[in-house]
Amino acid sequence: MMESRSPICNTCGEEIGVKSNGEFFVACHECSFPICKACLEYEFKEGRRICLRCGNPYDENVFDDVETKTSKTQSIVPTHINNTPQVDSGIHARHISTVSTIDSDLNDEYGNPIWKNRVESWKDKKDKKSKKKKKDSKATKAEEHEAQIPTQQHMEDMPSNTEAGATDVLSVVIPIPRTKITSYRIVIIMRLIILALFFNYRITHPVDSAYGLWLTSVICEIWFAVSWVLDQFPKWAPINRETYIDRLSARFEREGEQSQLAAVDFFVSTVDPLKEPPLITANTVLSILALDYPVDKVSCYVSDDGAAMLSFESLVETADFARKWVPFCKKYSIEPRAPEFYFSLKIDYLRDKVQPSFVKERRAMKRDYEEFKIRMNALVAKAQKTPEEGWTMQDGTSWPGNNTRDHPGMIQVFLGYSGARDIEGNELPRLVYVSREKRPGYQHHKKAGAENALVRVSAVLTNAPFILNLDCDHYVNNSKAVREAMCFLMDPVVGQDVCFVQFPQRFDGIDKSDRYANRNIVFFDVNMRGLDGIQGPVYVGTGTVFRRQALYGYSPPSKPRILPQSSSSSCCCLTKKKQPQDPSEIYKDAKREELDAAIFNLGDLDNYDEYERSMLISQTSFEKTFGLSAVFIESTLMENGGVPDSVNPSTLIKEAIHVISCGYEEKTEWGKEIGWIYGSITEDILTGFKMHCRGWRSIYCMPLRPAFKGSAPINLSDRLHQVLRWALGSVEIFLSRHCPLWYGCSGGRLKLLQRLAYINTIVYPFTSLPLVAYCTLPAICLLTGKFIIPTLSNLASMLFLGLFISIILTSVLELRWSGVSIEDLWRNEQFWVIGGVSAHLFAVFQGFLKMLAGLDTNFTVTSKTADDLEFGELYIVKWTTLLIPPTSLLIINLVGVVAGFSDALNKGYEAWGPLFGKVFFAFWVILHLYPFLKGLMGRQNRTPTIVILWSILLASVFSLVWVRINPFVSKTDTTSLSQNCLLIDC
């Protein structure tokens, strides 16, 4: 319950007063326009007897029995989604995206502007703050502080539980042992010194007989060295973290009291249910609904960006099955809580299950799940062929999303307080279906646009302070995963400046050898832990818990502010009437070059006077940033979440439909400075980068039991296309204004090593160019008899030996502190070469064509049916142009090896010594491409003929051109050759 003042007069700013019967003074009974008695009398004297808002005449008896300038408290029931009428929670038709200011519900139920209510609340907060400073008693100070801080902020000031020990600490940093990290850093420095000496030798000792080969190799080696520096030094200070979930519960979940844990909104995104099986999405949703977390703190939003009726109907079935599955999981503490993966576990499920009823209930639940799967498969089979007239719902009406490119916004609330309960009568978390509006002529920005739509609709309906986004094929593997994240985000010391907590990605369904490095173990267990010791890991697209305020573009509360550069600026940076005397006092952030709208730090509002504060939160400045929705705008100012109390509950769904309209983002900062950032198909890297540039930091959380698990492409073609997409996104960022080479340098909030890490994420595709050249050099050397290195001296031999030893030592020490196996490291090294000479190479050319010439080239994969065998898809080879470059390199190097041995046999014993270095160089390329060769052949040796033909053709053309041009071999003097021929006695 919340107390509210008398509404404010829209003319003079005074309270409108109440009548003797306790009711507020109302001048116009048609629209409740707020105006006090004195102002209304002046209007009557001037001859204006018509309401300024609606145009209806005033009642002549409005002055009877009025007491001006009095106030009365009135309780306002907090609005909630469960108060929404049932008629508003179903499928909604087209909603007009351009609403006027009057029709956009910018006033509360008394007609009072929301913005003035916000000013009054801050005025009260300032008064209480000034009173607090005059108090000398600590107890009184604590009471005053509790009165001014919202309930969800009390968690930071709750006393420690003496029985639990030091419960103030929810997480600790565990540094790498000094012996491991010190030796690791020493070897890195030694390798850097050896590299400098190595390049000094390479540059000062050219190979005159093969100058072109030597120059090419030196350029490639310099690029590889730079790439190593960009990749290595962000791992300079890796750390581990440990969380204490029991202390979190002891602090925020006291017995007999309501849980004080923060609410979390889950986002699950899907597009095409025929490519992303609805059963997998259903398992993800079920694992979220069954979390070990208070049900009133969990809301699950499923984004159907394809507006498919199959997705909607499958969610209906999922909501019904959740009524049985959720209580079963919580009763027996099931792990994981995705039924498909729980029932597929090959373990003794009777172990540690002492309840006699468990076996019976488990068998019954498994039967129910099998029936659920049958119904889901029936829906999928039905959706295989779309009727000519389009899909029709059960009530006979046409499905609004029959045209996937032209349909209205749709929202359906399935579960929640007002929805169905589980079979035991308990409440379930909210489950909301969302499909944003799409119209021709509008740019929808794919996944990033869908995520931003979910941000807005969730802010209107639930507005949890934290957001966790998951791909539809990533289920919750650890039911306590959210509690793990809250140990950081709700920690009053650690979580103040944390914008998101990133969990590592783990995958099911991959063979043990992990031939194509699908698990990405080196990246998630080495690189990300290194970044955690700097400013935090990068955002990888899924398994991330965000602070909602960080997504809105606000700066971290404790970051030092930048003093204003001038006395005036645009709408978001106002002219200060009087500068504070103390320079250490907190200022509002000056208008940063990347911001063109009203994005500021909430903590700065208390440092402005009443007039400046009212201007800062003016409707105009916020609309230019967040769009035309008063309900959403007010929700952005609520740091601790919750639905604004000033909104009418009957308009929530209408407002939610409005914020997902296709034209809502026009002329706003969505996708530019707030929300998921547009401009790259890897919007995750770009979004996290913008947050780190603002001064936020992130945290890497690696619980013993993986928090989330997903499915990864395991066959060669799909894996290469996945890597192509990532690399193309990096090239797009490199060619955009957000390039980490220069973006955000002026603010100085991005640490140097963190910037190096982001630079590495956008320049690594360009390594494909020197890599292709370097992998071609062995074949050229074998075919021409030349080499890129001159005859080695003792000093040169020591340099080469030292370089190889430093490389090995760096890898070994990295394995020691990270715990990664040598097989994972080798697989990562192999796929770095495979992806570099194929997907990365295509990404560079495709990125330049797309960004510079406007040509969007797509390399599509033709699907084939997999055999019904374990890892059967691993052996499928799908035709794609990405297969041609690495296949050509393999053939060229194999031909070169054969030619080299043939030449050595012809020349005799003296030729075998130089041949060793060349063959070793060639075998280095072949060993790195071996998984590609094995995957290309497949189990049944069914390599696409076109791949072999293209590769042989390219290798043959290359060989013929080489013989004709032969650029790297010194030309033979034909005159002396003819003279020598004349001396031959035939």
Side-chain angles (χ1 to χ4, degrees), residues 936-983:
L936 190 66
M937 301 307 294
R939 175 177 289 180
Q940 293 83 16
N941 295 330
R942 295 183 299 181
T943 305
T945 306
I946 190 170
V947 174
I948 302 298
L949 292 177
W950 269 104
S951 302
I952 294 176
L953 178 62
L954 287 178
S956 302
V957 170
F958 172 80
S959 302
L960 292 173
V961 171
W962 186 268
V963 172
R964 182 69 181 87
I965 300 175
N966 203 5
F968 296 128
V969 182
S970 58
K971 302 299 182 180
T972 305
D973 190 354
T974 56
T975 305
S976 60
L977 182 61
S978 59
Q979 292 177 355
N980 292 334
C981 290
L982 293 176
L983 296 176

Side-chain angles (χ1 to χ4, degrees), residues 81 125 156 180 250 292 320 363 385 511 614 682 687 708 882 904 950:
I81 190 174
K125 184 176 179 181
E156 299 183 358
K180 294 182 179 180
D292 182 10
D320 184 61
R363 290 174 180 171
K385 187 177 181 180
D511 63 314
S614 64
T682 52
T687 302
F708 309 100
L882 297 177
W950 269 104

Side-chain angles (χ1 to χ4, degrees), residues 374-399:
I374 292 173
R375 294 193 297 270
M376 294 288 285
N377 292 332
L379 291 175
V380 174
K382 176 184 175 183
Q384 294 294 328
K385 187 177 181 180
T386 306
E388 295 182 0
E389 65 279 5
W391 297 107
T392 305
M393 294 185 289
Q394 293 183 356
D395 58 359
T397 59
S398 179
W399 171 249

Side-chain angles (χ1 to χ4, degrees), residues 568-691:
S568 62
S569 60
S570 64
C571 62
C572 65
C573 299
L574 303 176
T575 302
K576 296 278 289 182
K577 291 182 180 179
K578 181 175 64 176
Q579 293 290 346
Q581 299 296 325
D582 185 5
S584 63
E585 187 174 353
I586 299 176
Y587 288 91
K588 177 186 174 292
D589 275 341
K591 182 181 179 183
R592 292 166 290 179
E593 57 185 34
E594 72 267 27
L595 286 180
D596 296 318
I599 299 178
F600 52 87
N601 192 291
L602 296 178
D604 296 324
L605 288 172
D606 293 333
N607 300 294
Y608 288 85
D609 59 30
E610 183 178 332
Y611 171 77
E612 293 168 327
R613 188 163 55 247
S614 64
M615 290 297 293
L616 274 173
I617 60 173
S618 67
Q619 173 188 343
T620 304
S621 61
F622 269 87
E623 286 180 350
K624 289 181 178 179
T625 304
F626 297 112
L628 295 171
S629 172
V631 177
F632 174 75
I633 291 173
E634 187 173 2
S635 72
T636 64
L637 299 174
M638 305 177 70
E639 293 181 86
N640 300 298
V643 180
D645 295 310
S646 56
V647 287
N648 190 344
S650 62
T651 63
L652 279 180
I653 292 293
K654 178 183 177 181
E655 195 69 20
I657 290 289
H658 167 51
V659 298
I660 61 173
S661 58
C662 57
Y664 183 84
E665 294 183 355
E666 289 190 343
K667 298 181 180 180
T668 66
E669 294 299 311
W670 284 102
K672 301 174 185 175
E673 302 299 336
I674 61 176
W676 270 257
I677 306 301
Y678 305 149
S680 172
I681 57 178
T682 52
E683 70 287 331
D684 47 1
I685 297 294
L686 203 53
T687 302
F689 174 63
K690 294 278 285 189
M691 293 181 183

Side-chain angles (χ1 to χ4, degrees), residues 158 249-260:
M158 294 173 64
S249 299
R251 187 170 185 180
F252 301 118
E253 293 183 299
R254 295 185 176 181
E255 186 176 356
E257 299 180 5
Q258 187 177 3
S259 174
Q260 296 297 316

